[in-house]
Amino acid sequence: QHARDVERALRSAQRVLQAWLAQADPLTLLLPDRLPGGRGTEGRPYHRVYTPHNSGADLYPYLILTARITDPEIYHGRMLEMLRNEVRYTTVLDSLPADFDLEKHVPAQPSIFGAAEYAKDGLLAVTELLGRTPWFERMRELTRDMMRHCPVKTRWGPLPGTGAEINGDALQVLVRLAAMDRDLSWRQWARGIADAYVEEILPRSNGLPVEEWDFATQSGSKRCRLRDHGNEAIVGLTLLYALEAEEQTPYARRYEPAIRKMLDQVLASANPDGFLYESIDVDSLRPVRDTLSDNWGYVYGAVYAFFQSTGDPSYREATLKVLRALPKYLGHNWGSTSFDELADSIEGALYLLAREPVQEAFQWVEKETQRLMSLQRPDGFIERWYGEGNYNRTLLLYVMWKTQGILPDPWTPGLELGAARTNDGLIVFVNRPARVRFDFPRHRLVIGFRKNYARLNEFPEWYAVEPNWLYRLRDARGVEQVRLGSELVAGIQLPEGLTTVEPLGPPPYAQKASPVRTEH
């Protein structure tokens, strides 16, 4: 069943890829934010424009990942050419991007916000799954120049902006770069942003990051946004704390009370089932309006990361509570009639379920993902706007659950691949012989975290093989082979039918394993 679900999801994602590539600008290959008749074009003149904070952040990256899995020729060809042209046509100040008019073929002014969104929602997601590709290099240089050109001056150093969204975007990227790269600038910039929040904004806002802050008057809005365009600071601050706590730095001890209070205030504002409201008043913790946040899973990812870092079980229990309540929200309208809110809600649930496999929550994900896929039109589009990249993102997250992180290399129409856990191992099914690649501890070997913290824009690890462990594979014919995890990660051919995968444990093996005859 998992294999059939995967085939349907990848076929749907590939249709989105093909539909959008047909709409690319002929000269630059860049993709417009919206198409005629699409969401956001109603009642206004249509103009074709590429923006790094929309098309770059939410559409392009997930077409890259879709192509990597379903069409390597497009991945190595068209997707890289789009990156070259994005650098060539939209870069206007050092490596900073700008909006680009696809009718006049001229760029606008450099956009710090565009850089932050493109890095956090786009390039970071590609890096989380694929590692150090050319998109990682683009993210690193773009982030460096973003921080060098920060416009907001504070006593803790320059900040990218005055809002929780842009500063949270920057934090989430800087924490990953600090873990991946030996350059201390990433950590210093991240600490500067965090210090501004911990020492000024949070103490003056009842422990919460408000939407906007004026450093000149030391005052800000009285609202904390718990969905997009505000919750980014909660996620970024918590992830930086986790990294500092890993290394037992003085910053961890200083940040911990502020992060704890921030998360406690967020949880105190939730509804009886633990779900969060879109926006709350920071003084009373009451909702500004009764609409629930579709990004509840993003914030609970921070709650769970704090549990992973501190070991405090109350934060795990809060996460379990909201997951167990999910069946009550089957078919819920998360604030609009768009597919995007539904996709975000499924995404957040899968981040958490990779750590806490609550069965009733998996059933909710299954039903809601089927509802999501039912919204696709015959032409491959859903609503003809840049958010359709998020549709593909959620389907890829769903696919990786159904395959336990094993990906076809490549997928072709009709190929069915599924997997399920069996104690410490897996049982894998393919409906025809196929080459597949197993997942590995990317949080450690790519990003550099010692623990696999729940985090926004990740692709969770469901079954990650250790490169230097041995694994026994037995197919339906009874043929056995032993392979290193690194071989499984590089790619291995599986025969049609069922194959069991069993770890032989970490080395040394001399006293653990009986000899196994391996057939090549």
Side-chain angles (χ1 to χ4, degrees):
Q1 182 61 53
H2 282 193
R4 288 193 291 270
D5 293 337
V6 165
E7 200 279 336
R8 181 188 175 196
L10 288 178
R11 184 159 25 95
S12 178
Q14 191 179 59
R15 289 174 61 213
V16 172
L17 168 68
Q18 293 167 344
W20 273 99
L21 290 185
Q23 299 295 323
D25 176 61
L27 173 65
T28 67
L29 301 181
L30 297 177
L31 300 174
D33 280 13
R34 293 177 170 84
L35 300 174
R39 184 187 181 198
T41 64
E42 306 89 343
R44 64 183 69 177
Y46 176 72
H47 192 82
R48 285 172 65 89
V49 61
Y50 164 90
T51 64
H53 61 279
N54 287 335
S55 184
D58 294 327
L59 179 59
Y60 173 50
Y62 301 105
L63 300 186
I64 295 169
L65 297 179
T66 302
R68 176 66 183 88
I69 296 167
T70 68
D71 199 325
E73 183 176 346
I74 290 178
Y75 170 78
H76 291 291
R78 181 74 170 270
M79 292 297 150
L80 276 171
E81 185 66 13
M82 290 168 72
L83 176 63
R84 297 183 199 111
N85 286 347
E86 184 265 314
V87 172
R88 178 182 181 185
Y89 289 102
T90 77
T91 302
V92 291
L93 176 63
D94 293 335
S95 64
L96 294 179
D99 295 357
F100 190 80
D101 189 316
L102 294 176
E103 296 176 1
K104 299 179 180 178
H105 290 112
V106 293
Q109 297 302 308
S111 172
I112 297 289
F113 176 69
E117 285 278 294
Y118 182 33
K120 187 267 287 184
D121 280 330
L123 301 169
L124 181 56
V126 175
T127 299
E128 280 272 359
L129 187 58
L130 301 185
R132 292 176 182 258
T133 65
W135 291 279
F136 165 76
E137 300 300 337
R138 176 66 168 139
M139 178 180 74
R140 180 163 56 180
E141 291 310 304
L142 181 150
T143 304
R144 188 185 307 279
D145 289 332
M146 174 181 71
M147 297 308 298
R148 287 172 173 168
H149 291 281
C150 281
V152 178
K153 308 304 178 185
T154 75
R155 61 188 179 93
W156 301 277
L159 269 60
T162 59
E165 179 179 21
I166 189 171
N167 291 326
D169 285 348
L171 264 178
Q172 291 181 49
V173 179
L174 289 168
V175 172
R176 262 72 154 220
L177 287 170
M180 295 179 76
D181 197 334
R182 296 175 64 90
D183 189 335
L184 294 178
S185 299
W186 311 120
R187 187 75 63 99
Q188 293 167 349
W189 281 322
R191 287 169 173 169
I193 297 172
D195 286 347
Y197 276 82
V198 169
E199 296 183 18
E200 180 169 307
I201 298 176
L202 299 184
R204 291 173 169 81
S205 304
N206 200 19
L208 291 165
V210 292
E211 289 180 294
E212 289 289 334
W213 188 260
D214 186 331
F215 286 95
T217 63
Q218 296 186 339
S219 63
S221 63
K222 289 294 184 179
R223 292 184 180 183
C224 174
R225 193 172 172 90
L226 298 178
R227 60 158 295 165
D228 275 343
H229 316 303
N231 69 40
E232 293 83 358
I234 295 171
V235 176
L237 287 167
T238 306
L239 196 58
L240 176 61
Y241 164 75
L243 182 62
E244 299 287 359
E246 269 192 358
E247 300 169 4
Q248 300 180 338
T249 70
Y251 287 88
R253 292 189 294 274
R254 186 154 60 83
Y255 292 160
E256 192 272 344
I259 303 302
R260 184 181 294 272
K261 181 176 180 180
M262 176 181 71
L263 297 176
D264 288 348
Q265 296 288 69
V266 168
L267 293 174
S269 75
N271 79 357
D273 292 320
F275 286 93
L276 307 174
Y277 295 98
E278 279 192 349
S279 184
I280 59 173
D281 177 82
V282 296
D283 293 326
S284 67
L285 303 185
R286 292 176 180 171
V288 174
R289 59 192 184 110
D290 291 337
T291 307
L292 295 179
S293 171
D294 58 311
N295 302 144
W296 60 271
Y298 300 1
V299 180
Y300 272 96
V303 171
Y304 198 83
F306 194 67
F307 155 68
Q308 292 175 293
S309 185
T310 64
D312 187 330
S314 66
Y315 297 96
R316 177 174 183 254
E317 288 303 318
T319 305
L320 289 171
K321 174 184 174 180
V322 77
L323 287 174
R324 289 168 180 152
L326 263 176
K328 295 169 61 175
Y329 294 82
L330 189 65
H332 183 77
N333 181 344
W334 299 96
S336 81
T337 58
S338 173
F339 76 89
D340 190 48
E341 284 78 7
L342 175 59
D344 286 0
S345 191
I346 296 169
E347 173 197 9
L350 286 169
Y351 290 154
L352 301 172
L353 287 170
R355 279 90 181 176
E356 297 289 349
V358 176
Q359 191 57 40
E360 55 265 42
F362 277 123
Q363 294 169 1
W364 178 90
V365 167
E366 183 64 69
K367 293 175 181 177
E368 293 295 72
T369 304
Q370 298 305 317
R371 179 161 73 101
L372 178 68
M373 285 193 284
S374 73
L375 301 175
Q376 189 172 32
R377 301 174 183 179
D379 61 4
F381 293 107
I382 300 90
E383 293 174 356
R384 297 175 64 84
W385 65 294
Y386 63 86
E388 294 183 10
N390 296 336
Y391 176 89
N392 274 28
R393 171 210 63 204
T394 298
L395 291 193
L396 296 182
L397 289 165
Y398 173 80
V399 162
M400 292 187 71
W401 160 41
K402 293 281 184 168
T403 67
Q404 293 295 292
I406 302 172
L407 292 175
D409 189 26
W411 176 83
T412 52
L415 175 60
E416 298 176 358
L417 163 65
R421 292 294 291 267
T422 56
N423 296 323
D424 291 335
L426 288 177
I427 186 164
V428 186
F429 171 80
V430 287
N431 67 334
R432 64 190 186 211
R435 181 177 173 82
V436 302
R437 292 178 290 110
F438 283 65
D439 203 2
F440 62 99
R442 288 173 283 109
H443 73 277
R444 189 178 77 242
L445 300 179
V446 173
I447 305 300
F449 292 147
R450 296 173 193 167
K451 293 182 180 179
N452 187 14
Y453 301 109
R455 57 199 184 273
L456 182 57
N457 289 323
E458 66 166 326
F459 283 84
E461 299 162 18
W462 295 91
Y463 188 84
V465 300
E466 288 289 343
N468 201 40
W469 285 26
L470 291 173
Y471 294 82
R472 187 199 316 264
L473 284 72
R474 182 183 291 111
D475 65 32
R477 301 167 299 169
V479 175
E480 291 186 358
Q481 53 182 316
V482 172
R483 292 287 182 265
L484 285 165
S486 56
E487 294 178 278
L488 302 181
V489 172
I492 187 169
Q493 188 77 13
L494 292 183
E496 179 182 345
L498 296 171
T499 299
T500 59
V501 181
E502 172 194 6
L504 298 181
Y509 294 97
Q511 304 303 318
K512 299 178 183 178
S514 57
V516 176
R517 178 170 173 265
T518 298
E519 295 191 10
H520 295 276

